[in-house]
């Protein structure tokens, strides 16, 4: 079994999110990401706050026998919603065959940024 390169997976996810912007044809009736983006910052930032709270609660539950898998799932949800927020900034993952350095050198998407989400 081949394990996919995580930077390739994240780059593909970023491409899909970019395609979900309304200005790129994203359809809120067919896409969760397009629906979040259509709500504007108040919608997806509220979702980030909710997910962050769920991460905190799942982490606290570990002290009382909580499931580690629940924490991992909640963190994944938070990361996903943070990527939705990054999508509006025309941020895109900078990938290469050797490394992923988005934190050091984020690159704008090759597409022109949309005027609005």
């Amino acid at each position: 079994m081949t394990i996919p390169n995580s930077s390739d997976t994240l780059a593909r996810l970023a491409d899909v999110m970019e395609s979900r912007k309304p200005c790129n044809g994203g359809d809120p009736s067919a896409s969760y990401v397009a629906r979040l983006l259509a709500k504007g910052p108040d919608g997806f930032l509220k979702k980030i706050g909710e997910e962050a709270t769920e991460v905190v609660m799942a982490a606290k539950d570990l002290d009382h026998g909580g499931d580690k898998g629940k924490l991992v799932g909640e963190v994944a949800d938070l990361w996903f919603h943070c990527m939705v927020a990054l999508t509006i900034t025309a941020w895109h993952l900078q990938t290469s065959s050797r490394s992923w350095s988005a934190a050091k050198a984020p690159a704008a998407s090759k597409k022109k940024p949309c005027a609005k989400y």
Side-chain angles (χ1 to χ4, degrees):
M1 180 170 107
T2 303
I3 298 174
N5 181 317
S6 61
S7 63
D8 293 342
T9 301
L10 289 173
R12 286 194 314 272
L13 178 58
D15 287 342
V16 169
M17 287 186 173
E18 181 69 24
S19 75
R20 299 303 195 255
K21 287 181 177 180
C23 62
N24 290 333
D27 179 4
S29 68
S31 164
Y32 176 69
V33 171
R35 210 165 22 260
L36 281 175
L37 292 173
K39 292 178 181 180
D42 287 346
F44 56 78
L45 294 175
K46 178 181 175 188
K47 193 64 180 168
I48 289 172
E50 292 170 3
E51 297 300 340
T53 299
E54 291 175 13
V55 167
V56 170
M57 297 309 296
K60 288 183 69 65
D61 287 348
L62 291 178
D63 288 341
H64 307 286
D67 179 15
K68 290 180 184 177
K70 178 154 176 66
L71 176 60
V72 171
E74 296 300 348
V75 169
D77 286 348
L78 176 59
W79 287 352
F80 175 84
H81 288 89
C82 288
M83 284 188 71
V84 171
L86 289 171
T87 298
I88 68 157
T89 66
W91 168 86
H92 196 276
L93 294 173
Q94 174 72 20
T95 59
S96 73
S97 60
R98 290 188 215 120
S99 67
W100 176 54
S101 58
K104 293 180 184 174
S109 171
K110 293 180 183 178
K111 295 179 183 178
K112 290 183 180 180
C114 298
K116 198 163 183 174
Y117 318 105

